[in-house]
Amino acid sequence: MIRERFLTAAETLKQAIYYAPNDVDKLTKLFNRIGVDHSQKNLLKMFRLCINIVQSIPDEKYYIHKDIVYDFSNALVELGKKHKRVTHYFDGISFNQDHFAFKKFLQFGDPHIFAIALYINLAVRLDDLGLPGEAFNAIVKSMDPWVIIYDKDTGKGDLQTKNIDLFDNFLIGTTLIGIEGNRTTLIGRAAAKFHNLSIVGHVNNDARDIFLKYKRYLKHGVDATYEDIRFYTSYLELIMGEKTKNKSFDEIINYLEKQFEIEKTRNSYENCFLIASVLAKALDSIDWAKKAVSTSPSKAYWAELLYMKAFIISRSDNPKVTNYRELLRSFLFQAGREHSDRMMQDLCKQKNSGFLNMMVSSCILNKEYQLAVELIYAWWVNKPGDTVLQSPEGKALIIAIPNFHPKGSHFLIYGKEKVHSLASKSSKKLSDILLIKDKVESSWTAILNEEETLIPKEDSRSYVELSSEYINTLSEFIGSNKLIELLSEIPEGTHFQYIELSWTNTPIPALLSNITQQTYSVSVDSVRLPEPKEVKKVLIWSDPDGSLPMSTFEVEAIKHILSCKKIDFELFEGTQCTKNLFLEKYSDPEFDIIWVISHGAFNSDNPPFSKLYVAENDPVTTWELQKYTPITTRRRHLILNACQSGAAGVRYNSMGFLGIGPSVTNEFQAVLGHLWYVDSLASAVLGTFTLKALLEGNSLALSLKQASKIMCAGNQAIEEGLLEISDSLHIVERVRNSMTKDLSLPFYSMSALVFG
């Protein structure tokens, strides 16, 4: 098994040959050798070569870094397990020193410790890139290299770790005998975990136990390393948002204030910046923010430096909020230089969303609503290569800010260069919305420091019958009555581009569409090519794995509507569907509509790798779809009748950039996707009505609005609407025989969004 593991790692390593050919060649030879002789004498050399290799891999290829670390670490674990009889003498607290030789202790421990260090290195990079979910998995592996990360889709893997104490004892034991590298690994791992938990949330609330357990191994004063300082700053970031003051708060503040002076005397500018910026946020101190800015840290801290500059403005007695515009410009242009790939830039924007949120909050508090709109819009639509900030001038925008107030939401409505600010108090909280949302969708969304949301949801049932209560609760929360009153003064034909800060994956656009006379699409791009005046060619891609029996009724209805309009189409079903063929057709600019009926899966840990199952056991990722979207002179429609194809990331209190629907929308393509798991009959009905309205010359947003309204009217209205299309469609009989399924429920009628 050891040989097989190292052969697998060597094969994976080939992915990096382009970036570090010499090091890859050296490490491959060592992999092949150790696979045969099982010698551990070159472990340190192998570790250093691996670190050199993964550091050479560009950010947009981070998945290669991940693959290499996971496969190399698995091989190291297998090598260490060769000596696992050592564990027979571990009682969960300490080892019985009388029963094994120190050499065996190291032979077991060293491979595992190197694997732990590789996972920590990976986790730090993933967090830096804005992938905290993937980073969390890597940190779990660094705590227990034997654990198999649980896959909720397959149900395979470990639901909990079992060996944390075992590997802690190896790290602590070697630290006590003076191995400094293992001490920094131990402390660095804790710091990485604190930082990660400040984003994903510490549901088990074990952070304080880790802090108390490891702080005895820290070095202070002139002996302190970066890892020691990061241990304290990361824990402070984690606890400073807690509702009750943490017992260690004052202790950490005192340590960091003293350490700042020490770092200042030895000209350690980056450590000074790290300490001062965290103290500024923890103490809400403009003085510490100024100290942070004055340290002039290296380029690596460019985003945090801009945050501190915005922080100083926001905390000033007379804030010059107009200066935010230049700070935003600096951020977006630097992000564009750092990341030429749109997906990577979107990750960067999500990770740094606190920068925008702080400036927008400051603008609203100072009643600078126009500037708030300009900042939000420029941030939202910015793409790599943009050389100017995009202006909202001439646009009709509705911006939802659902978490600006503890109870109730805030809207900025922009049109004809005028901004309406609408704040609505509610008896409901955002946590109330998410609790019922999770019941309806069989999901789990946690809000930091909201205890009622921190209980893991294990019930796999979707409570469809609660979807009306969900929409009513959401409607009350956003102040729909006030919105209706305000929007009634705006022309009925107005199409609003919808922006949400922060994105919640709730159907606010669908709700607005059903209660107002306007139409809405989730704005993604500042450039909007014209929709095709005439649909000439359509691709239908249906049920690749044969598990969606209702798809035949949807395909029949689509074919009938297209045939009546004498529109050419290509149809691929079941085993005809292959990934290569799909990408070939998807990249063909001749199609005006691409209609996909398949399974979809949003990856909340790694949104660029969300999947659309276009072939049996061979999905296409969001990243691939984005890269294969053709450049055309008009905007085509991509209809995704697939689960979670409209969901997007909710980390960092950010906008919803990352997911299948939003990520593959651009000036060349508008997308219809679903927020949650869809019912195949309901999505077929919704799709049929949407296509009928679309081919009557309506926009995609208006077509979806009309389709949703028919469904909201109930099964009888749905049957009548389908009969108007054709009384021979089998879908009519299916609806007629589904009277126990109320298709008017919002779960069925309000799952879809248009991104455009």
Side-chain angles (χ1 to χ4, degrees):
M1 180 61 81
I2 294 174
R3 181 173 182 272
E4 286 77 5
R5 290 289 192 187
F6 276 101
L7 287 176
T8 299
E11 189 65 27
T12 302
L13 200 57
K14 290 179 181 178
Q15 297 180 78
I17 191 71
Y18 178 79
Y19 307 108
N22 292 334
D23 286 344
V24 167
D25 183 58
K26 292 176 185 176
L27 187 54
T28 300
K29 289 177 180 177
L30 290 170
F31 280 173
N32 292 332
R33 188 183 306 164
I34 197 173
V36 175
D37 64 20
H38 301 174
S39 170
Q40 297 188 16
K41 66 179 181 180
N42 289 314
L43 288 185
L44 179 60
K45 183 178 180 180
M46 293 167 67
F47 172 79
R48 288 173 174 167
L49 280 170
C50 186
I51 293 297
N52 288 342
I53 291 166
V54 297
Q55 286 178 343
S56 73
I57 297 171
D59 287 343
E60 62 267 23
K61 303 290 185 181
Y62 66 85
Y63 51 89
I64 298 178
H65 183 170
K66 177 190 168 188
D67 290 346
I68 290 172
V69 166
Y70 271 74
D71 284 345
F72 183 19
S73 297
N74 285 338
L76 288 170
V77 166
E78 205 64 41
L79 185 65
K81 280 185 176 181
K82 180 182 178 182
H83 309 281
K84 67 179 179 181
R85 59 183 177 275
V86 167
T87 62
H88 296 168
Y89 308 109
F90 178 64
D91 62 7
I93 300 173
S94 62
F95 292 92
N96 187 333
Q97 301 289 337
D98 298 329
H99 285 80
F100 65 95
F102 186 66
K103 182 179 178 181
K104 292 298 181 186
F105 175 89
L106 294 180
Q107 286 176 327
F108 176 84
D110 282 355
H112 288 99
I113 289 172
F114 282 120
I116 287 168
L118 287 172
Y119 282 125
I120 297 169
N121 177 269
L122 172 63
V124 169
R125 184 178 198 180
L126 292 170
D127 252 339
D128 284 345
L129 292 177
L131 291 162
E134 283 285 14
F136 177 83
N137 292 334
I139 289 170
V140 170
K141 294 285 284 184
S142 77
M143 305 292 285
D144 178 2
W146 289 3
V147 75
I148 299 173
I149 300 298
Y150 181 75
D151 186 330
K152 61 181 175 58
D153 295 324
T154 64
K156 296 179 180 178
D158 299 320
L159 289 171
Q160 59 185 5
T161 55
K162 301 175 183 177
N163 306 291
I164 290 177
D165 289 336
L166 172 66
F167 295 108
D168 262 15
N169 273 269
F170 274 98
L171 279 169
I172 292 170
T174 50
T175 294
L176 292 174
I177 62 173
I179 301 179
E180 173 64 8
N182 288 357
R183 188 193 73 84
T184 55
T185 295
L186 180 73
I187 300 305
R189 183 182 66 179
K193 180 164 185 175
F194 293 153
H195 177 71
N196 184 258
L197 292 181
S198 69
I199 303 164
V200 302
H202 49 123
V203 176
N204 296 323
N205 204 22
D206 60 348
R208 180 162 178 78
D209 292 337
I210 294 172
F211 175 79
L212 294 175
K213 180 178 181 180
Y214 293 164
K215 76 172 186 174
R216 71 191 70 176
Y217 306 109
L218 263 66
K219 292 184 177 179
H220 299 76
V222 295
D223 295 325
T225 65
Y226 170 82
E227 287 79 10
D228 297 304
I229 295 170
R230 191 63 176 156
F231 179 90
Y232 278 116
T233 57
S234 297
Y235 188 64
L236 184 57
E237 283 182 302
L238 176 63
I239 66 173
M240 64 189 181
E242 293 179 350
K243 292 181 178 179
T244 57
K245 187 177 179 180
N246 189 285
K247 295 177 181 178
S248 301
F249 187 87
D250 291 335
E251 170 196 343
I252 298 170
I253 296 295
N254 183 55
Y255 166 85
L256 290 175
E257 288 177 340
K258 291 180 179 178
Q259 194 65 40
F260 179 83
E261 296 302 324
I262 294 171
E263 300 302 319
K264 187 177 178 181
T265 59
R266 56 185 180 183
N267 298 324
S268 182
Y269 301 119
E270 296 195 353
N271 284 347
C272 284
F273 178 79
L274 176 62
I275 293 170
S277 61
V278 171
L279 287 175
K281 289 181 282 187
L283 300 174
D284 199 26
S285 167
I286 194 171
D287 291 334
W288 275 110
K290 289 178 179 178
K291 288 180 182 180
V293 171
S294 69
T295 62
S296 300
S298 68
K299 182 182 174 183
Y301 290 91
W302 67 270
E304 185 67 16
L305 181 61
L306 288 171
Y307 181 96
M308 282 292 107
K309 290 179 178 180
F311 183 96
I312 291 170
I313 296 172
S314 70
R315 294 333 190 251
S316 300
D317 293 334
N318 295 299
K320 295 181 180 179
V321 294
T322 54
N323 290 344
Y324 289 146
R325 193 180 284 109
E326 185 56 39
L327 290 178
L328 185 81
R329 180 183 289 107
S330 297
F331 179 94
L332 293 175
F333 293 171
Q334 181 62 34
R337 287 190 289 270
E338 295 279 327
H339 305 290
S340 59
D341 182 275
R342 174 185 161 188
M343 199 80 78
M344 297 307 299
Q345 188 187 34
D346 284 346
L347 280 170
C348 178
K349 286 197 287 184
Q350 284 204 168
K351 178 195 170 189
N352 292 285
S353 57
F355 171 65
L356 175 70
N357 295 346
M358 178 171 57
M359 294 190 294
V360 169
S361 297
S362 177
C363 288
I364 292 175
L365 290 172
N366 287 280
K367 296 184 169 40
E368 292 285 349
Y369 304 125
Q370 174 76 27
L371 179 58
V373 169
E374 291 176 10
L375 297 175
I376 292 169
Y377 184 76
W379 179 277
W380 178 256
V381 302
N382 180 264
K383 300 292 185 293
D386 285 355
T387 56
V388 296
L389 292 184
Q390 300 296 329
S391 169
E393 185 176 354
K395 307 288 194 302
L397 306 175
I398 183 163
I399 300 169
I401 311 177
N403 62 347
F404 187 69
H405 297 288
K407 292 184 178 180
S409 62
H410 199 108
F411 282 87
L412 296 173
I413 301 170
Y414 176 85
K416 293 185 177 180
E417 324 316 322
K418 182 180 179 182
V419 182
H420 299 276
S421 173
L422 183 62
S424 300
K425 287 187 177 181
S426 171
S427 61
K428 306 296 182 183
K429 300 183 298 182
L430 184 58
S431 58
D432 296 328
I433 304 299
L434 297 182
L435 284 170
I436 190 170
K437 170 184 181 290
D438 290 339
K439 286 185 178 180
V440 171
E441 298 179 17
S442 182
S443 58
W444 175 33
T445 310
I447 302 179
L448 301 187
N449 302 314
E450 292 287 351
E451 291 184 5
E452 63 268 33
T453 71
L454 297 179
I455 302 171
K457 305 295 189 300
E458 298 178 356
D459 190 348
S460 60
R461 178 194 164 192
S462 295
Y463 288 81
V464 176
E465 66 277 9
L466 294 178
S467 58
S468 291
E469 182 183 347
Y470 171 34
I471 293 300
N472 291 337
T473 304
L474 182 62
S475 180
E476 180 182 340
F477 175 73
I478 67 172
S480 59
N481 290 334
K482 290 185 178 180
L483 278 167
I484 292 171
E485 184 180 343
L486 178 57
L487 292 172
S488 67
E489 301 173 6
I490 295 173
E492 293 184 2
T494 301
H495 176 75
F496 279 109
Q497 296 180 49
Y498 176 86
I499 301 174
E500 191 171 313
L501 176 77
S502 304
W503 186 258
T504 56
N505 280 321
T506 58
I508 295 176
L511 173 60
L512 293 174
S513 183
N514 274 270
I515 63 174
T516 69
Q517 298 302 313
Q518 291 78 24
T519 57
Y520 306 83
S521 63
V522 180
S523 174
V524 174
D525 209 295
S526 61
V527 179
R528 299 176 63 83
L529 290 176
E531 295 184 356
K533 293 182 179 179
E534 181 183 0
V535 175
K536 296 181 179 179
K537 193 173 183 180
V538 176
L539 172 68
I540 308 170
W541 196 269
S542 176
D543 193 18
D545 66 356
S547 64
L548 299 171
M550 294 292 177
S551 65
T552 58
F553 306 123
E554 184 174 353
V555 169
E556 179 194 35
I558 292 170
K559 288 167 58 180
H560 175 81
I561 295 170
L562 294 176
S563 298
C564 289
K565 295 288 185 178
K566 295 182 170 52
I567 295 172
D568 185 29
F569 62 86
E570 293 184 22
L571 169 64
F572 298 91
E573 298 178 282
T575 56
Q576 295 176 316
C577 301
T578 66
K579 179 176 177 178
N580 287 338
L581 180 61
F582 178 81
L583 290 175
E584 175 190 327
K585 297 296 181 181
Y586 178 82
S587 60
D588 187 343
E590 292 302 310
F591 291 108
D592 301 301
I593 299 175
I594 293 181
W595 199 285
V596 180
I597 307 166
S598 73
H599 294 291
F602 173 66
N603 188 332
S604 59
D605 289 341
N606 202 339
F609 285 86
S610 297
K611 296 175 181 177
L612 188 66
Y613 288 85
V614 297
E616 186 174 9
N617 301 320
D618 198 7
V620 64
T621 67
T622 303
W623 216 326
E624 290 173 303
L625 286 172
Q626 190 182 93
K627 291 182 183 298
Y628 276 85
T629 304
I631 297 173
T632 64
T633 57
R634 64 191 185 281
R635 201 173 217 207
R636 75 179 183 191
H637 300 307
L638 175 63
I639 311 299
L640 300 177
N641 262 356
C643 296
Q644 299 179 315
S645 51
V650 296
R651 305 286 193 196
Y652 304 103
N653 286 333
S654 63
M655 294 181 177
F657 293 112
L658 293 159
I660 301 174
S663 291
V664 303
T665 301
N666 55 28
E667 65 264 42
F668 309 112
Q669 180 168 268
V671 181
L672 185 152
H674 293 265
L675 282 173
W676 49 75
Y677 295 101
V678 296
D679 176 88
S680 57
L681 175 61
S683 64
V685 170
L686 187 68
T688 299
F689 286 136
T690 299
L691 181 62
K692 176 178 181 292
L694 187 63
L695 296 182
E696 289 171 352
N698 298 300
S699 68
L700 183 57
L702 181 56
S703 299
L704 178 61
K705 178 187 181 85
Q706 292 179 356
S708 180
K709 282 200 166 186
I710 294 172
M711 291 191 69
C712 286
N715 286 30
Q716 185 62 40
I718 292 170
E719 183 180 338
E720 292 171 0
L722 292 172
L723 287 170
E724 288 181 13
I725 297 173
S726 172
D727 59 4
S728 64
L729 294 177
H730 287 88
I731 197 171
V732 176
E733 192 64 29
R734 296 299 303 184
V735 171
R736 187 178 294 140
N737 292 335
S738 299
M739 298 308 291
T740 56
K741 179 182 287 187
D742 183 0
L743 295 176
S744 72
L745 287 172
F747 183 87
Y748 303 122
S749 61
M750 299 175 71
S751 64
L753 297 179
V754 171
F755 297 86

